[in-house]
Amino acid sequence: MLHLRLIVPADTTDEVVALLGSTVGTAHLVVLPGAARSPTGDVVMCDVAREAGDELIKALRRLGIDRTGAISVENLDLTLSTHADKAEREAPGDSSDAVLWEELTEATHEESTFSVTYVSFLALATMLAACGVMLDNAVLIVGAMAVGPEFGPLAGISTAVVQRAPRLVARSLWALIGGFAVAMIVTAGFAWLLDVFGLFTRDMIDRPRPNTGFIWHPDWMSFVVAFLAGIAGTLSLTSAKSGALIGVAISVTTVPAAANAAVAFSYADYQQTIGSGQQLLANLGGIVLAGTLTLLLQKGLWRIRRTRKPPASTPGASVRA
């Protein structure tokens, strides 16, 4: 279940209450006249089945509540109510398949911001991967992959394409391209500094590296892995499965490829630079393509599912966690 808290102008309250009351899947409607002070208005609250949430939020935005008042939504971890059970039975579709597009757009918008924190994490991940590349240490590579924040703008691009939001596409592309550019420049300087101190040498980049050599040898399997990871990552965002997203982060070689390209470039090894760049592009392209197709498929399937009413079940209290 989702909990909606609305601040509604007094002259719109009746219309909003009528909308909530007529929406299949809602329960626990509460109206507090004049309770809101900034902005002024009435506070209206209700719980709604997740599968009915997206359409209800869209309807509230069509009424302009997001402009004249406020719409706040939060997930309920525990609901004990026969009214909630009835609302979930009546709501079309299945809550596990429902996508809150406004929530997804907001989440990817925050993760796709070219900020100091974002660039810092990406640069640190790339430098950590550079150490893994030079030492041929797979553990460091995995650690760097987990630290990298690049899936945010990749998901932002996919979401923006499906939602037809060109501004979010531009914002996500800027975060992705600009972030990797800064991270790779910083990593090249980092490699030069460690070379000065004798911690990195030319021999380290030229010698055989059985544990990390795959990073600059892209093939079709690189794209396949990135494609599968893109599907898993997108599903993890739409279903709030953060553990799956961590698994995605350590399955693709975006950050290690950028690190290898930066280090190789600093030693004028352009063959490795080109190979690493191809690996990076294959992974980024595979994730974006998979994410976009996954969201399009989810959107299409949900339109079909929500037209089918689930069979009624025996009323009774339940626990949802």
Side-chain angles (χ1 to χ4, degrees):
M1 295 290 287
L2 302 171
H3 179 68
L4 269 66
R5 185 181 73 252
L6 313 174
I7 296 179
V8 182
D11 59 352
T12 315
T13 300
D14 290 342
E15 189 175 5
V16 170
V17 170
L19 170 63
L20 298 177
S22 63
T23 299
V24 175
T26 59
H28 313 143
L29 179 60
V30 177
V31 180
L32 303 175
R37 294 293 180 266
S38 179
T40 58
D42 302 333
V43 174
V44 180
M45 297 181 287
C46 76
D47 296 337
V48 59
R50 183 178 177 87
E51 51 268 42
D54 190 63
E55 289 299 320
L56 178 56
I57 293 171
K58 288 179 180 177
L60 290 169
R61 295 196 68 180
R62 284 195 293 269
L63 292 177
I65 303 304
D66 56 323
R67 298 186 299 274
T68 59
I71 303 173
S72 301
V73 184
E74 60 181 324
N75 288 291
L76 294 177
D77 294 327
L78 178 66
T79 304
L80 299 173
S81 167
T82 55
H83 298 284
D85 294 336
K86 182 175 182 292
E88 286 196 319
R89 288 194 302 271
E90 293 177 346
D94 192 294
S95 61
S96 61
D97 295 330
V99 179
L100 290 178
W101 291 99
E102 295 291 343
E103 180 185 51
L104 181 61
T105 301
E106 183 66 21
T108 53
H109 182 275
E110 291 180 2
E111 296 294 328
S112 303
T113 303
F114 187 85
S115 63
V116 173
T117 300
Y118 168 80
V119 173
S120 297
F121 269 113
L122 191 55
L124 287 169
T126 309
M127 288 187 286
L128 184 60
C131 294
V133 165
M134 298 299 276
L135 298 175
D136 195 32
N137 189 318
V139 175
L140 290 176
I141 294 296
V142 172
M145 293 158 85
V147 172
E150 74 280 4
F151 190 81
L154 290 171
I157 294 172
S158 297
T159 302
V161 170
V162 174
Q163 293 292 85
R164 300 177 183 178
R167 291 183 64 181
L168 181 55
V169 172
R171 183 189 187 98
S172 300
L173 280 173
W174 167 237
L176 189 68
I177 297 172
F180 267 112
V182 172
M184 291 172 73
I185 291 172
V186 170
T187 301
F190 173 73
W192 175 84
L193 182 63
L194 264 62
D195 183 83
V196 170
F197 285 100
L199 298 176
F200 281 2
T201 64
R202 176 65 187 243
D203 292 340
M204 296 172 73
I205 194 73
D206 290 335
R207 69 184 179 186
R209 288 179 281 139
N211 294 321
T212 59
F214 69 92
I215 292 172
W216 64 283
H217 288 105
D219 54 24
W220 276 106
M221 280 306 300
S222 301
F223 181 84
V224 170
V225 170
F227 190 85
L228 295 176
I231 295 174
T234 303
L235 290 175
S236 75
L237 286 179
T238 57
S239 61
K241 300 292 184 181
S242 58
L245 188 56
I246 294 172
V248 169
I250 62 176
S251 64
V252 289
T253 57
T254 48
V255 166
N260 199 93
V263 174
F265 183 81
S266 69
Y267 284 104
D269 189 334
Y270 301 122
Q271 182 181 4
Q272 284 201 45
T273 301
I274 293 172
S276 300
Q278 292 172 340
Q279 178 80 268
L280 177 62
L281 292 176
N283 279 274
L284 296 179
I287 292 174
V288 170
L289 177 61
T292 303
L293 293 178
T294 300
L295 290 176
L296 286 172
L297 182 61
Q298 284 184 290
K299 199 169 189 177
L301 290 176
W302 181 247
R303 287 176 178 172
I304 297 173
R305 287 290 301 277
R306 70 184 303 274
T307 61
R308 302 176 182 174
K309 204 170 186 176
S313 58
T314 303
S318 66
V319 176
R320 284 169 295 278

